[in-house]
Amino acid sequence: MKHLIGLVGTNSSQSTNRKLLQFIKANFQKEATVELMEIKDFPVFNKPADSVLPEIVQEAAEKIEKADGVIISTPEYDHAIPAALINALNWLSYDVYPFVDKPVMITGASYGTLGSSRAQAQLRQILDAPELKARIMPSSEFLLSHSLQAFDEDNRLKDSEQIEKLSGLFADFLVFVDLVNQLVQAHESNKKEAANFSWENI
């Protein structure tokens, strides 16, 4: 059975994106295990000169490295992903490169009508950066709008059409994970490129 990381893309304790990942974990437990990962305790990124990473970052990087894939659920603040998520990705691409060639599925929940669509587009761009080089599942947006009203008392999605769509995307992601994890020939070279990349040399 595949093991996935569900990355909660916010530091909010009341986030519906956490609820969405909790639903995914419970609803698809027969297909894969999903381990939720929090970023709320990551320190502010400061590019340490000694390249020594905080323990929480190192542990997160190791878990992502070992996982078969990652699901990131992001809210949208001012047409963008939260600063906390950017901060986490900054850490997870500094002297560690767990996202290189890692299969990633992006989801998102927001209080409004657009379901974090702009934030998801921005996140795709960030994950394609030379220091991250993630393998992002294409054409797979899951946009949960009006997320405050989307869950019942048992933390299940109310809308059967949303559940059907999410089920299809999750099944596709498991296939995508299998496909991506066969593309290993250039993995070590890709990791070296990420580690050696410097914007100062461009």
Side-chain angles (χ1 to χ4, degrees):
M1 184 177 287
K2 292 180 178 61
H3 178 68
L4 309 175
I5 295 295
L7 186 63
V8 182
T10 175
N11 57 3
S12 169
S13 61
Q14 304 298 322
S15 176
T16 51
N17 283 276
R18 183 180 292 103
K19 283 188 175 184
L20 177 56
L21 288 171
Q22 289 169 341
F23 173 76
I24 290 172
K25 177 180 180 177
N27 199 60
F28 303 118
Q29 58 184 313
K30 292 182 179 179
E31 287 82 18
T33 60
V34 179
E35 178 183 356
L36 265 61
M37 178 179 289
E38 299 283 353
I39 61 173
K40 54 187 173 63
D41 294 324
F42 276 37
V44 175
F45 181 69
N46 61 359
K47 201 173 182 179
D50 57 8
S51 298
V52 176
L53 298 176
E55 184 176 353
I56 188 173
V57 175
Q58 188 64 51
E59 290 177 356
E62 290 172 1
K63 287 183 177 182
I64 292 171
E65 187 80 50
K66 293 177 182 177
D68 295 299
V70 178
I71 302 172
I72 303 177
S73 193
T74 180
E76 182 173 309
Y77 301 154
D78 300 326
H79 293 182
I81 66 173
L85 181 52
I86 294 176
N87 181 65
L89 294 174
N90 287 162
W91 276 118
L92 292 168
S93 57
Y94 182 74
D95 250 37
V96 287
Y97 306 96
F99 276 103
V100 172
D101 296 328
K102 185 65 61 176
V104 174
M105 173 180 171
I106 299 174
T107 65
S110 74
Y111 297 167
T113 59
L114 298 178
S116 79
S117 59
R118 296 182 182 91
Q120 290 195 36
Q122 184 196 37
L123 182 55
R124 286 177 178 275
Q125 185 177 29
I126 292 171
L127 289 170
D128 196 40
E131 302 94 326
L132 284 159
K133 285 182 173 290
R135 304 272 193 176
I136 311 152
M137 186 165 77
S139 304
S140 61
E141 285 183 326
F142 183 74
L143 308 170
L144 183 62
S145 59
H146 304 294
S147 58
L148 285 175
Q149 295 81 39
F151 298 91
D152 64 19
E153 294 179 354
D154 297 321
N155 199 35
R156 285 190 56 82
L157 285 173
K158 297 178 184 177
D159 189 331
S160 59
E161 290 186 3
Q162 290 279 32
I163 295 175
E164 183 180 0
K165 179 177 181 180
L166 184 58
S167 297
L169 288 173
F170 190 83
D172 285 347
F173 184 57
L174 296 184
V175 174
F176 182 72
V177 168
D178 282 336
L179 292 173
V180 169
N181 287 334
Q182 293 179 49
L183 305 177
V184 298
Q185 306 306 317
H187 180 64
E188 290 305 318
S189 296
N190 290 340
K191 275 218 162 185
K192 287 179 182 177
E193 285 183 5
N196 294 330
F197 182 82
S198 173
W199 290 101
E200 297 172 0
N201 296 330
I202 293 181

